[in-house]
Amino acid sequence: MSGFWLLLVFLIVRFGLLLIIKREAIQRAGYFAPIQKSEQIAYYIYQISNIVLFIFMIISTIKIDYSLKFYLGLILFIVGIILCAISLVCFAFPNGDGLNINGIYKFSRNPIYVAYFVCFLGSSLLIQSLIMFVTVIIFQISAHWIIVSEERWCIEKFGKSYEDYMKKVRRYF
């Protein structure tokens, strides 16, 4: 079975869900906070690794061998997709100030990034590719620096309310 189906499911949830529930949330989801010069390399690595992951999913085959690796990959992929869907629904409905602090955002400041990681990790196990697994790790490390820049931007935009939120809620889980 083609890994393209993994990518298709991911993209339908990632973009289709926002189109259905709140179209204007797509612009917010696609916005990257301003990055500092020291973060530019991480930004480019993030974008390149994202493209590599998508290409890998398109050209690879899911190894349906009913092994532990297969079942673990399937579980992680499904959990990642569900987590992504929940995160996007909560993301689409920020509070009156434009800050996401409700739903799953009460437990993680960055649940969408966590969802991506879990989903891509599951995909790498389903495809059984060490190269894809390493790319997922590179993707997540670079995503951390994107998150740091987003949090700096949120402090600038939301001030004390975001700082208070940071004290109450972990960056990941």
Side-chain angles (χ1 to χ4, degrees):
M1 173 188 264
S2 173
F4 170 76
W5 295 108
L6 299 173
L7 179 61
L8 185 62
V9 169
F10 175 79
L11 292 175
I12 287 171
V13 170
R14 173 67 176 90
F15 297 105
L17 188 59
L18 285 178
L19 273 173
I20 293 167
I21 60 172
K22 195 169 184 186
R23 182 170 285 210
E24 49 283 1
I26 289 178
Q27 282 185 314
R28 283 183 54 234
Y31 177 76
F32 277 91
I35 56 175
Q36 294 179 347
K37 194 153 185 80
S38 62
E39 297 162 340
Q40 285 180 338
I41 293 173
Y43 173 79
Y44 292 124
I45 292 171
Y46 175 83
Q47 295 297 353
I48 291 167
S49 61
N50 204 3
I51 291 167
V52 169
L53 289 170
F54 285 9
I55 290 170
F56 237 99
M57 292 165 88
I58 290 169
I59 65 171
S60 297
T61 303
I62 299 170
K63 308 277 192 273
I64 304 174
D65 60 2
Y66 306 105
S67 65
L68 180 60
K69 206 182 290 188
F70 170 78
Y71 287 114
L72 182 59
L74 186 61
I75 290 167
L76 286 173
F77 181 77
I78 291 169
V79 167
I81 290 294
I82 292 169
L83 185 59
C84 189
I86 292 167
S87 300
L88 289 167
V89 168
C90 294
F91 177 84
F93 300 99
N95 68 13
D97 296 327
L99 187 59
N100 292 97
I101 57 172
N102 294 316
I104 199 162
Y105 286 87
K106 290 181 181 180
F107 307 102
S108 170
R109 297 193 310 260
N110 300 284
I112 295 174
Y113 286 104
V114 173
Y116 291 172
F117 176 68
V118 173
C119 187
F120 291 152
L121 184 61
S123 297
S124 72
L125 290 171
L126 286 169
I127 293 170
Q128 296 185 17
S129 167
L130 183 59
I131 296 169
M132 185 172 174
F133 176 77
V134 170
T135 306
V136 170
I137 300 303
I138 291 168
F139 169 84
Q140 193 59 35
I141 291 168
S142 63
H144 172 77
W145 296 108
I146 302 298
I147 290 166
V148 169
S149 68
E150 287 177 355
E151 289 183 338
R152 184 180 55 255
W153 178 80
C154 285
I155 291 169
E156 291 171 11
K157 182 172 180 172
F158 301 109
K160 182 158 173 31
S161 61
Y162 192 76
E163 289 173 344
D164 292 343
Y165 174 64
M166 288 176 76
K167 291 175 186 171
K168 288 188 252 176
V169 179
R170 293 174 174 239
R171 181 175 280 151
Y172 301 110
F173 274 107

